Amino acid sequence: MVRRLEYLETFLQGTRKGISRRELMESLGERKKAFEIEKDLSLGRGRPRRKDITRADRLIDHCVKLARNMQFVDKVGLRYRLLEAGRIYLDSAETERKKIFAEVFSKAYPHLSAVVLALALLKEEEEVVLPLQNKSEFKPEVEKYGLSMGQMCFDTIRDIGTRLGLMNWYVTGVGLERRQHVYLTCEITRETPESYLVKIRSLEGWLFAVPFEVERNRFRDCLWETYLSLADRIPGSPLFYSSVREKVCGLLKIRDDQFDNEVMRMVKWDEMLRVIWSEGVLQYQKDSASMLKSLPPKNEWGRYVVYLKMVRR
């Protein structure tokens, strides 16, 4: 299954050019390799030189299935043809692409609205907590939340929902006991709001996602207290950026990019805290399954913010 929109977009761009299936696989393979290079540059943990990194025979089949189900492409002879909906998607800006994708994907795959509604039924501090690995107990555990799907389906919906800004997640535990914690990052309403992030189709009609907003002072207080708790109460200690981010986002129920934007503002200037960034490599024990989730942002000079240090002014 396709869990990153970049793969779909690479496939659609190649289809627009009219290239062959073999050339499409080569393009997808290069996109896979680019992700590994990015992980290697930012965290020192990518594997861009792995022998099979550019293999994409299964990935192209998943892209074809997704694109056809969303009516972005059809097949003419041995080649694929980009349809009008696919052209509109490719020609749209990033924000509009997310809206288009959310609407079309949710019509073709009702699992997205099912997961969103299950999350919306939870109490304020609750999260969906499930095994991270595909183990026998996954299905009975996911059924406790009123969902009927396997591990791969849920993980795909989780990743796509995260990319669309509907939800976020983090991992606890080690080894085979790792658990994924998934939560909403928006208010779900059936009434059409003045503005919204995306809308998705459910069996009962459209659901609109209005992102949670956090007051700046509340964000700063949560960031500082979280930093101190992770740093053993020692200001100025370097902490892995992603570790701080996943903790703060989980507490405030916000998206990663909301955290990134506010921290980058504070790096430039904040009246209460001095926030310092540095480059580095990912600690070895960090689980590779969440590596893409752990990718740090780049600063204005294009350098990766891997570690954070904070002190009071």
Side-chain angles (χ1 to χ4, degrees):
M1 300 180 75
V2 180
R3 293 165 63 169
R4 296 192 65 85
L5 303 192
E6 291 88 347
Y7 291 140
L8 173 66
E9 291 163 8
T10 297
F11 172 77
L12 293 178
Q13 288 162 357
T15 301
R16 168 182 266 174
K17 295 176 184 176
I19 63 178
S20 67
R21 179 183 172 89
R22 179 183 59 79
E23 291 170 316
L24 286 169
M25 284 195 291
E26 290 174 355
S27 296
L28 288 168
E30 289 303 313
R31 176 68 265 191
K32 285 175 60 183
K33 186 175 181 179
F35 278 135
E36 293 300 315
I37 291 173
E38 185 177 6
K39 290 189 291 185
D40 199 45
L41 290 174
S42 62
L43 303 169
R45 290 289 300 279
R47 295 186 291 173
R49 289 167 291 280
R50 197 179 71 205
K51 288 184 179 180
D52 63 344
I53 189 60
T54 57
R55 284 193 59 182
D57 44 340
R58 292 182 62 189
L59 178 57
I60 191 172
D61 289 337
H62 292 315
C63 287
V64 169
K65 183 178 180 180
L66 176 61
R68 296 189 75 172
N69 287 344
M70 296 179 69
Q71 298 183 356
F72 282 174
V73 303
D74 64 5
K75 194 170 184 180
V76 179
L78 297 176
R79 300 208 175 198
Y80 304 103
R81 178 179 64 180
L82 189 68
L83 299 177
E84 182 64 18
R87 283 192 288 271
I88 293 173
Y89 176 77
L90 283 181
D91 292 338
S92 299
E94 177 67 17
T95 301
E96 189 60 28
R97 275 191 188 185
K98 287 184 179 180
K99 289 186 175 182
I100 294 171
F101 185 93
E103 293 173 25
V104 181
F105 182 87
S106 61
K107 288 180 182 178
Y109 297 91
H111 292 97
L112 177 60
S113 62
V115 172
V116 168
L117 287 171
L119 290 168
L121 289 174
L122 298 177
K123 296 179 181 178
E124 186 174 347
E125 300 301 321
E126 291 181 333
E127 301 164 334
V128 166
V129 183
L130 295 167
L132 184 63
Q133 292 195 337
N134 190 6
K135 298 196 293 184
S136 58
E137 63 263 30
F138 181 87
K139 194 160 187 182
E141 289 203 34
V142 79
E143 287 174 350
K144 295 176 183 177
Y145 299 99
L147 298 171
S148 179
M149 62 186 71
Q151 173 94 55
M152 184 175 291
C153 179
F154 180 86
D155 289 353
T156 300
I157 295 300
R158 178 204 66 202
D159 287 351
I160 288 176
T162 299
R163 179 63 183 271
L164 295 175
L166 294 165
M167 60 192 75
N168 205 346
W169 63 287
Y170 61 94
V171 176
T172 59
V174 294
L176 295 177
E177 299 307 314
R178 286 171 294 164
R179 313 283 288 182
Q180 55 178 304
H181 299 245
V182 188
Y183 55 89
L184 276 185
T185 56
C186 55
E187 178 187 357
I188 301 299
T189 176
R190 297 186 187 276
E191 302 296 326
T192 307
E194 291 185 8
S195 63
Y196 60 91
L197 186 67
V198 296
K199 68 177 181 179
I200 61 174
R201 188 74 179 180
S202 72
L203 295 177
E204 294 77 29
W206 289 107
L207 302 173
F208 297 86
V210 180
F212 294 141
E213 300 294 338
V214 179
E215 183 188 34
R216 182 161 290 173
N217 287 338
R218 184 182 172 215
F219 179 90
R220 182 193 293 116
D221 291 344
C222 183
L223 176 65
W224 178 241
E225 285 304 315
T226 299
Y227 172 81
L228 287 179
S229 68
L230 294 175
D232 296 325
R233 315 303 296 183
I234 303 174
S237 300
L239 295 179
F240 182 54
Y241 182 96
S242 182
S243 297
V244 180
R245 178 172 63 186
E246 68 181 19
K247 185 71 172 177
V248 172
C249 287
L251 290 169
L252 297 177
K253 299 296 183 283
I254 59 175
R255 308 184 309 271
D256 284 358
D257 66 287
Q258 288 176 286
F259 177 92
D260 295 341
N261 292 338
E262 188 61 17
V263 168
M264 290 300 98
R265 180 200 66 80
M266 296 175 73
V267 166
K268 292 180 179 179
W269 170 255
D270 184 77
E271 58 270 25
M272 302 294 293
L273 298 176
R274 187 179 176 209
V275 181
I276 305 162
W277 68 274
S278 67
E279 297 175 293
V281 296
L282 185 69
Q283 58 263 45
Y284 183 76
Q285 67 270 24
K286 189 70 177 180
D287 171 50
S288 60
S290 60
M291 190 73 73
L292 288 174
K293 182 77 166 61
S294 299
L295 283 179
K298 292 181 180 179
N299 62 18
E300 59 186 310
W301 302 287
R303 297 168 70 182
Y304 291 97
V305 180
V306 179
Y307 288 94
L308 282 181
K309 295 191 293 185
M310 298 183 209
V311 293
R312 281 197 176 277
R313 290 191 182 275

